[in-house]
């Protein structure tokens, strides 16, 4: 039996830059998914502590993709792809158990996929290296599930390090752990899960991705990562929407590089203005925030945060703030009050420290 744990994530900065071959700076969360894989007598089956019943797959189902509940495609996807690759997958029983909230933008899906891939790699003796583990995990989400995501979530879930953020170059998929210890600067990373109902998430995400790819085509570059001067590029585009997308992606890449310098210098308070500028860029240029998210970000600033921003794909999800340690409770109360006043549902709040990436549990 192989048992692996893989975490969810928070992205500190660098939103919608990953599929533009750009830079991101995520950290792994203590919450994650634990997956065990063991031999079975016949067939393949999946059980989840968060869902009722067993999803069973017959031998022909491995090739034919029988209808399964959506969550199970994140698990069976790896088996389907290995089967397509010509791997003779013996009968196994897979059990998953996750404490990452779903639909909160904390990458519960990457935690699930990466823990399954690591446990299968060990149990089946696949011998995948770091690049192979990442490639298979990304294919599960992109090809088996069909979500056109950009790879950041799987990368951080596989390679995160405790006490560190991971500076990732999404073109060559290299990563470097950079110390992230807000407490050393008297700060806490406060997370507000707005619990805003996700609206149009899938379609809007794909539309942003298509828009960025179209802008790169019109600008004659392989990806928006290759644009250095946002103003010059914007002046060459006619479409107002594409102009805004380019401005967001190019300035966001620059903010990630600055954030890495700030972390290296250990001045975490200087991360604040970068967070806040990133939020404004997502709100005004990329247009992926919603009222709950904007309210949380603004309220945290009013309550003394040195910076705040939405994290993740957008249209709901979580907001992060760097808050002076002594003011975390008051900031949380201020957000709860602001949500009640606006008639929003109750948010959920927690402070987070950077945790380790995928690890064997035994
Ligand atoms: C989602 C996707 C990631 C990334 C972020 C936005 O989390 O899964 O690949 O694009 O949105 O930064």
């Amino acid at each position: 039996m192989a048992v692996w744990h893989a975490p969810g994530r928070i992205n500190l900065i660098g939103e919608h830059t990953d599929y533009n071959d750009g830079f991101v700076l995520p950290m792994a969360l203590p919450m994650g998914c634990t997956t065990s894989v063991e031999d079975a007598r016949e067939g393949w089956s999946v059980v989840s502590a968060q869902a009722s019943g067993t999803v069973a797959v017959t031998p022909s189902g491995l090739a034919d993709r029988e209808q399964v509940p959506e969550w199970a495609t994140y698990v069976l996807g790896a088996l389907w792809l290995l089967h397509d690759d010509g791997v003779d997958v013996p009968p196994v029983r897979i059990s998953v158990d996750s404490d990452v909230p779903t639909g909160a933008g904390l990458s519960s899906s990457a935690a699930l996929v990466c823990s399954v891939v690591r446990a299968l790699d060990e149990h089946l003796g696949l011998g995948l290296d770091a690049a192979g583990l990442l490639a298979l995990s990304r294919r599960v989400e992109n090809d088996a599930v069909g979500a056109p995501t950009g790879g950041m979530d799987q990368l951080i879930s596989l390679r995160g390090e405790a006490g560190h953020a991971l500076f990732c170059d999404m073109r060559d998929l290299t990563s470097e752990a950079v110390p992230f210890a807000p407490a050393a600067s008297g700060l806490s990373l406060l997370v507000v899960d707005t619990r805003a109902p996700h609206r149009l998430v899938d379609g809007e995400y794909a539309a942003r991705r298509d828009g960025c790819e179209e802008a790169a085509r019109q600008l004659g570059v392989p990806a928006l990562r290759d644009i250095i001067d946002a103003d010059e590029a914007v002046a060459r585009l006619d479409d107002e929407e594409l102009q805004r997308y380019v401005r967001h992606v190019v300035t966001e890449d620059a903010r990630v590089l600055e954030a890495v310098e700030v972390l290296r210098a250990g001045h975490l308070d200087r991360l604040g203005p970068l967070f806040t500028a990133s939020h404004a860029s997502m709100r005004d240029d990329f247009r992926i925030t919603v009222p709950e998210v904007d309210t949380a970000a603004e309220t945290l600033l009013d309550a003394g945060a040195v910076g705040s921003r939405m994290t993740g794909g957008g249209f709901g999800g979580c907001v992060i703030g760097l808050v002076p340690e002594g003011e975390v409770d008051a900031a949380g109360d201020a957000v709860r009050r602001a949500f009640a006043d606006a008639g929003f549902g109750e948010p959920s709040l927690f402070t987070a420290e950077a945790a380790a990436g995928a690890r064997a549990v035994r």
Side-chain angles (χ1 to χ4, degrees), residues 77-339:
L79 294 181
W80 292 336
L81 292 167
L82 289 170
H83 177 84
D84 290 350
D85 290 349
V87 175
D88 183 17
V89 186
V92 286
R93 174 185 160 85
I94 303 179
S95 313
V96 301
D97 186 0
S98 176
D99 62 358
V100 188
T102 54
L106 299 175
S107 289
S108 59
S109 62
L112 177 56
V113 168
C114 293
S115 60
V116 168
V117 164
R118 290 247 46 174
L120 278 175
D121 175 63
E122 183 193 315
H123 189 76
L124 303 179
L126 301 175
L128 294 173
D129 62 8
L133 291 166
L134 178 60
L136 180 57
S137 302
R138 292 183 68 178
R139 283 171 65 208
V140 172
E141 187 139 348
N142 292 155
D143 302 342
V145 177
T149 51
M152 161 176 68
D153 308 339
Q154 296 80 19
L155 204 164
I156 181 63
S157 185
L158 290 168
R159 298 192 200 158
E161 284 186 28
H164 292 73
L166 203 62
F167 171 40
C168 312
D169 180 332
M170 297 306 296
R171 170 161 278 165
D172 63 15
L173 302 178
T174 52
S175 54
E176 177 197 338
V178 190
F180 178 69
S185 301
L187 296 168
S188 289
L189 187 71
L190 179 60
V191 183
V192 180
D193 177 359
T194 64
R195 290 175 161 161
H198 274 218
R199 294 175 274 253
L200 309 167
V201 184
D202 296 349
E204 292 288 351
Y205 186 94
R208 294 303 182 286
R209 186 169 181 156
D210 290 349
C212 289
E213 286 166 4
E214 174 58 23
R217 249 191 311 279
Q218 291 186 18
L219 292 166
V221 289
L224 292 185
R225 143 73 171 277
D226 299 296
I227 302 290
I228 303 299
D229 185 337
D231 291 339
E232 183 274 338
V234 163
R236 284 197 282 134
L237 293 169
D238 294 327
D239 186 281
E240 188 266 342
E241 191 176 343
L242 297 191
Q243 290 178 340
R244 286 190 286 98
Y245 291 179
V246 168
R247 208 162 35 230
H248 167 71
V249 172
V250 176
T251 59
E252 185 79 349
D253 267 338
R255 281 186 288 270
V256 175
L257 298 180
E258 258 191 79
V260 172
E261 289 312 315
V262 164
L263 288 196
R264 285 192 180 124
H267 293 299
L268 259 74
D269 51 324
R270 293 194 200 151
L271 212 48
L274 295 170
F275 273 24
T276 304
S278 170
H279 188 83
S281 182
M282 292 189 284
R283 183 190 59 215
D284 303 335
D285 280 337
F286 220 54
R287 302 203 179 158
I288 53 173
T289 67
V290 293
E292 290 88 337
V293 157
D294 291 332
T295 298
E298 279 158 31
T299 308
L300 287 177
L301 287 182
D302 292 344
V306 299
S308 65
R309 64 183 294 277
M310 185 187 74
T311 179
F315 304 99
C318 289
V319 168
I320 53 174
L322 275 172
V323 181
E325 270 171 339
E327 288 164 45
V328 167
D329 289 345
D333 289 345
V335 171
R336 282 193 200 89
R337 256 195 323 273
F339 270 47

Side-chain angles (χ1 to χ4, degrees), residues 9 14-16 18-19 149-153 205 312-313:
R9 63 101 187 91
E15 230 62 78
H16 288 259
D18 60 354
Y19 55 77
T149 51
M152 161 176 68
D153 308 339
Y205 186 94

